[in-house]
Amino acid sequence: MTKAGVCRRGAALGLALLAACSAGGCGGPGAEPSPAGVPASGDSPSPTATSPAELCTRIIAYWSRRALKGDTYGDYQSMGLSDGQYEILRTVVDAARAERERASDEAAGRLIDRRARTACGERYRNGEPTGGPWG
């Protein structure tokens, strides 16, 4: 067999092994293949996806707390926010500043959580931004 033939045969074998591992999963010696749709570990469920509303709530609450401390940088894009999320952030921070002056830092933190959850829930009530993907 020529050197080119050996290389082609090796490449074909490599692709076949890759396909077999991708389809059936690779385990250690003596490992049983897992049925389709069942995690290979068998013990732990696959993680659930976080909803867009929950992601929005988390990021708005995070940046609101940082903004309230005066510890922010850049613009909304550097924070990873859309224009619509930034509008929520500005509204939440304005209300939190007023609450902090009126009551306390703890009260402002609770307000941030409530307002972020409410505004993000409304924004993503159908699973996607109500103002379109860029809004």
Side-chain angles (χ1 to χ4, degrees), residues 91-113:
T91 302
V92 169
V93 171
D94 287 346
R97 282 190 179 120
E99 183 70 4
R100 181 178 63 185
E101 292 299 317
R102 188 188 68 73
S104 66
D105 287 337
E106 293 79 20
R110 289 189 300 271
L111 181 135
I112 286 170
D113 292 337

Side-chain angles (χ1 to χ4, degrees), residues 31-119:
E32 295 291 323
S34 61
V38 176
S41 68
D43 295 346
S44 61
S46 62
T48 58
T50 304
S51 73
E54 179 61 27
L55 288 173
C56 173
T57 299
R58 288 179 188 177
I59 197 167
I60 296 298
Y62 172 81
W63 284 114
S64 294
R65 283 181 171 79
R66 297 257 322 248
L68 204 56
K69 293 178 186 174
D71 182 27
T72 59
Y73 66 95
D75 63 2
Y76 71 96
Q77 292 174 331
S78 65
M79 294 178 196
L81 301 174
S82 69
D83 183 51
Q85 290 168 335
Y86 188 63
E87 289 299 318
I88 293 170
L89 173 74
R90 290 176 38 190
T91 302
V92 169
V93 171
D94 287 346
R97 282 190 179 120
E99 183 70 4
R100 181 178 63 185
E101 292 299 317
R102 188 188 68 73
S104 66
D105 287 337
E106 293 79 20
R110 289 189 300 271
L111 181 135
I112 286 170
D113 292 337
R114 280 192 317 272
R115 295 277 180 100
R117 189 178 317 106
T118 300

